[in-house]
Amino acid sequence: MIIRNADILTPRGIMVSGFLVIQDGRITKVGSHGESRHWSTAGHEVLDASGLTVVPGFVDIHAHGGGGHDVLEGTYEAVSAMCRAHARHGTTSIFPTTMAAPFSELVDAVHAVADAVRRGTGGAEALGVHLEGPWVNPDSRGAQALEAIRPPDVRELDKLIEESGGLVRITTVAPELEGASDFIRAAVGRGVRVSLGHSLASFDEAMLAVRSGATHVTHAFNAMRGLHHRNPGMAGAMLACDELTTEAILDGFHLHPAAATILYRCKGADRLALVTDATMAAGMPEGEYELGGQRVVYKGGAVRLPDGGLAGSALTLDRAVKRAMADLGVTLAQAVAMASSVPARIAGVHDRKGSIEEGKDADLALMDEAGEVRATIVRGAVVYRGEA
């Protein structure tokens, strides 16, 4: 495929009216308009992207569902459906995310993700598993099911790594739990990125976790104690510690714009990842859905438990990018980086994902001037094409 007449967002800035050459699912040439005149189109599909901006496809490292399906359904069909739903919004890579659940359900879920990795999805590419539960603090569980929460267990982690075929890439753990430091060191030793979350940890407990190998924080400010000037807690560690990257759910409910601005000013565009924390309601009309087997209601833009507590979101990353520009005052390039190159680096896939560079996978989103996704390309294949 050759994409012509597009403004292309590269790591060096926007190339106006440039062209891209894609062969065997990879980007083989990023060139200027002048160079395109001398490039043969023989054997290539030509896509005219006049009026559009080509940006790197978004990478979602925290999503529970979408398109009416939940990862914990534990089927290939559910995972592939959520991947197709998110592809309609520019997401090209996704880490299906579990919650606290009985061990057998987690096994089914990681099997389903492994099937999606092996067979493909027809949408966003499933790259691995994010285990958000069950090793969280029951007193800071958010929408996690209380009866399924349990202490960190390396043997359980090892079994899930085995059952997934080595596809567990990220795990969330509350660092104050007994055995957490040993668990963190074990996870890191197995190549799993450790994220701190659903926690009431003190500042010192959070920093001990960092020294043990934790590098990330799950959904900033949510399911953790608020910042206090004499007891900064995990929120303080997150803001002050440069070794920690973190996530932001910019759906207008999880973070006040002022809190998001503070977070951005502390972490910068290179240590802040936009995520959706999406439920099966993402890409669907308002109504009743499930999250990890629990009833949730999507109404007024928010997804909530029956008691009114937030329970994930119906967010998509194209909307998160637009909100980042509006709420944080960042440029398109900065907002897109927080949805592509930063999460790709956090998840350890930046060698092939997250930016438009020669040699990387041809994972692309084509956006119009209003920020709407008009087409999504995954490894050189068009998986979504919107109306002109």
Side-chain angles (χ1 to χ4, degrees), residues 151-233:
D153 187 334
V154 175
R155 291 171 301 178
E156 188 172 13
L157 174 65
D158 281 342
K159 187 64 174 174
L160 290 170
I161 293 172
E162 178 186 350
E163 293 288 343
S164 71
L167 287 172
V168 175
R169 303 292 190 229
I170 305 168
T171 186
T172 295
V173 64
E176 71 275 22
L177 299 179
E178 184 176 355
S181 292
D182 289 340
F183 179 90
I184 292 168
R185 285 190 288 268
V188 172
R190 289 153 174 76
V192 179
R193 274 88 177 156
V194 174
S195 185
L196 307 178
H198 287 276
S199 168
L200 296 177
S202 67
F203 179 87
D204 290 342
E205 288 168 331
M207 293 308 298
L208 175 60
V210 173
R211 292 192 294 274
S212 298
T215 56
H216 188 59
V217 176
T218 298
H219 46 48
F221 295 121
N222 286 274
M224 65 180 70
R225 183 180 287 116
L227 180 70
H228 187 279
H229 58 286
R230 286 191 296 272
N231 180 18

Side-chain angles (χ1 to χ4, degrees), residues 48-352:
D48 187 337
S50 298
L52 301 178
T53 300
V54 181
V55 303
F58 307 138
V59 180
D60 198 343
I61 59 175
H62 187 160
H64 299 280
H69 291 276
D70 186 295
V71 175
L72 284 177
E73 290 176 46
T75 66
Y76 165 78
E77 290 75 18
V79 174
S80 58
M82 71 171 277
C83 290
R84 292 193 299 273
H86 284 280
R88 296 176 63 87
H89 301 275
T91 295
T92 54
S93 299
I94 200 163
F95 289 79
T97 305
T98 65
M99 300 175 60
F103 181 72
S104 61
E105 293 185 19
L106 293 178
V107 169
D108 288 344
V110 302
H111 284 170
V113 176
D115 284 347
V117 171
R118 183 177 66 254
R119 297 166 58 182
T121 69
E125 183 181 2
L127 295 183
V129 179
H130 177 175
L131 300 170
E132 192 186 3
W135 309 301
V136 298
N137 190 323
D139 293 325
S140 190
R141 62 185 179 274
Q144 305 265 354
L146 178 60
E147 65 275 10
I149 292 171
R150 43 201 183 268
D153 187 334
V154 175
R155 291 171 301 178
E156 188 172 13
L157 174 65
D158 281 342
K159 187 64 174 174
L160 290 170
I161 293 172
E162 178 186 350
E163 293 288 343
S164 71
L167 287 172
V168 175
R169 303 292 190 229
I170 305 168
T171 186
T172 295
V173 64
E176 71 275 22
L177 299 179
E178 184 176 355
S181 292
D182 289 340
F183 179 90
I184 292 168
R185 285 190 288 268
V188 172
R190 289 153 174 76
V192 179
R193 274 88 177 156
V194 174
S195 185
L196 307 178
H198 287 276
S199 168
L200 296 177
S202 67
F203 179 87
D204 290 342
E205 288 168 331
M207 293 308 298
L208 175 60
V210 173
R211 292 192 294 274
S212 298
T215 56
H216 188 59
V217 176
T218 298
H219 46 48
F221 295 121
N222 286 274
M224 65 180 70
R225 183 180 287 116
L227 180 70
H228 187 279
H229 58 286
R230 286 191 296 272
N231 180 18
M234 197 166 76
M238 171 187 71
L239 295 174
C241 179
D242 288 344
E243 287 81 2
L244 288 171
T245 55
T246 191
E247 303 170 354
I249 308 171
L250 297 187
D251 64 347
F253 301 97
H254 282 81
L255 289 174
H256 188 282
T261 299
I262 292 168
L263 182 66
Y264 175 74
R265 289 180 180 176
C266 288
K267 306 311 293 183
D270 61 339
R271 292 193 296 272
L272 181 59
L274 302 181
V275 300
T276 62
D277 197 11
T279 66
M280 60 168 58
M284 300 294 288
E286 294 191 346
E288 291 192 5
Y289 295 94
E290 288 189 359
L291 174 62
Q294 303 172 98
R295 174 178 167 268
V296 295
V297 178
Y298 174 29
K299 183 179 180 181
V303 181
R304 300 182 185 275
L305 294 167
D307 66 6
L310 287 171
S313 81
L315 185 63
T316 51
L317 280 178
D318 56 343
R319 286 168 46 211
V321 165
K322 287 195 281 187
R323 187 170 284 274
M325 295 172 66
D327 289 355
L328 306 180
V330 299
T331 65
L332 174 66
Q334 290 169 320
V336 167
M338 289 188 283
S340 55
S341 63
V342 175
R345 177 166 45 81
I346 290 168
V349 296
H350 194 245
D351 60 326
R352 56 194 179 97

